Amino acid sequence: MNAIISASELADELAGGGPPPVLLDVRWQLSTAKTAGAPPFDGRAEYAAGHLPGAVFVDLDKELASAPGAGGRHPLPDVAEFGAAMRRAGVSSGRPVVVYDGGQGWAAARAWWLLRWTGHPNVRVLDGGLPAWKGPLSTDVPVPEEGDFVPEPGASGLLDADGAAALARSGVLFDARAGERYRGEVEPIDPVGGHIPGAVSAPTTDNVAADGRFRPAEELRARFESLGATGDEAVGVYCGSGVSGAHEVLALAVAGIPAALYVGSWSEWSADPSRPVAVGPDPQ
């Protein structure tokens, strides 16, 4: 099953006459607006101004993550609460789900990863997000029929801090943040800059073209192979707080390479002074 769906393919499915997929709108942006004195991004307001017809808004900070703390800025949500939120949105195990955001793809990928990790068999991300959609938008807020999805977290696909550290030595651990944060040249959010020793810099922004859509699968595979993911080793990803890293896991899935996500990511790692920090372009 493809992990992504194009806008034209989605339009065909919605017009096909059969049961449509559940549509989840997960518009969100990493915002440093507070320090700049600007109002923070409001995904719900963006949704209210216009969304795909039938789509239900999902709040990343409240429904796809727990409150910030020792586990990072976007720790895993409580599984029972996540399941309840998905059922309220109409998610059922036997019905496909399509997730989209404002175009960056990070938030949609976080929802995709959580649903896949907790056992949903058919979840796709709208490639390019809302900007790729050429059909009409709606301001109607649907009240979906309660879904039946019961999350059952998988035994694999998730890394903790110790697992990420070990994987950086035994396999391939990708750092999906911008290169300057990986190298420790700047750090606008977390306590210290740098990276997990042994991790390889692989900014998630390089996985997409200028229009925000994923590069072809063969290009993505070639990219990841050049960075060490040749298919013979375990692969993991981290970022700042487990959001853009989910987008890199999605890119790896498009390339046919399974990967695990360190959800706590750098926001958890850097908050623990006992964890080692590497700086500069060298992984070590």
Side-chain angles (χ1 to χ4, degrees), residues 151-234:
E152 297 181 1
S156 61
L158 176 68
L159 295 169
D160 60 11
D162 290 339
L167 185 59
R169 303 298 183 188
S170 65
V172 179
L173 180 66
F174 288 133
D175 184 317
R177 299 172 300 157
E180 58 269 25
R181 292 183 69 190
Y182 170 89
R183 296 187 295 271
E185 297 166 357
V186 298
E187 182 43 65
I189 305 171
D190 293 313
V192 63
H195 58 269
I196 296 173
V200 177
S201 180
T204 196
T205 50
D206 292 344
N207 295 324
V208 297
D211 62 2
R213 295 174 182 155
F214 280 104
R215 299 186 184 279
E218 59 273 16
E219 288 187 20
L220 290 172
R221 175 171 282 279
R223 180 195 184 211
F224 292 124
E225 286 180 348
S226 73
L227 294 172
T230 60
D232 298 326
E233 60 291 298

Side-chain angles (χ1 to χ4, degrees), residues 120-186:
H120 197 288
N122 191 341
V123 189
R124 291 163 293 173
V125 169
L126 176 59
D127 195 16
L130 189 64
W133 178 253
K134 305 306 180 186
L137 298 179
S138 172
T139 56
D140 294 337
V141 178
V143 180
E145 182 179 346
E146 182 91 359
D148 64 16
F149 177 65
V150 177
E152 297 181 1
S156 61
L158 176 68
L159 295 169
D160 60 11
D162 290 339
L167 185 59
R169 303 298 183 188
S170 65
V172 179
L173 180 66
F174 288 133
D175 184 317
R177 299 172 300 157
E180 58 269 25
R181 292 183 69 190
Y182 170 89
R183 296 187 295 271
E185 297 166 357
V186 298

